[in-house]
Structure formats: C-alpha cells, structure tokens
Amino acid sequence: MKSPNNSSWQIWRWPSLFGVVSAAGLIAALLGDGWYDLGSSVALGLVAAACIWLGVRRRREPLQAR
C-alpha cells in the first residue's frame, strides 16, 4: 500500500474495471455467435491476463519495512 489515505476511487478502480469488462464479456457470450464469441473471449482473456500480470508483479515487489 502506498498510503493509508487512499481514496475510494484509488481502491476500487481496478476491481470496477475488471467487473465491467467481465460482465461485458459474459453478456456478449450469451447474446450470439461469431463475433460475439470472439469479443467475449477477448474480454474475459484480458481480465484473466491482467489479474495474472498484477499478481506476478505484486509478488516480485520487495516487502517494505513496517
């Protein structure tokens, strides 16, 4: 954590973005075939890749002294 005084936007921006993109991908998967399937795969794949990337990046950061 960078600062204990993080605003709500700083805390919730990534989870909100991931939720919106995931919902869009799931809705696209339910609506149709063809391009909808491609769009849903891309949207859900982006969320999964971003979560993996952020998790790996977080583990590589050195622990800060408390």
Side-chain angles (χ1 to χ4, degrees):
M1 255 186 185
K2 293 181 181 179
S3 161
N5 296 325
N6 289 335
S7 70
S8 293
W9 173 246
Q10 290 172 328
I11 294 170
W12 290 102
R13 67 179 160 193
W14 286 111
S16 298
L17 179 65
F18 290 164
V20 168
V21 173
S22 295
L26 293 171
I27 290 170
L30 290 172
L31 287 179
D33 292 327
W35 289 103
Y36 287 103
D37 289 336
L38 179 64
S40 67
S41 297
V42 169
L44 296 173
L46 282 173
V47 171
C51 289
I52 291 168
W53 180 71
L54 289 170
V56 168
R57 190 182 81 171
R58 176 77 177 187
R59 288 187 184 195
R60 289 186 183 172
E61 290 179 1
L63 295 175
Q64 297 176 357
R66 292 182 182 192

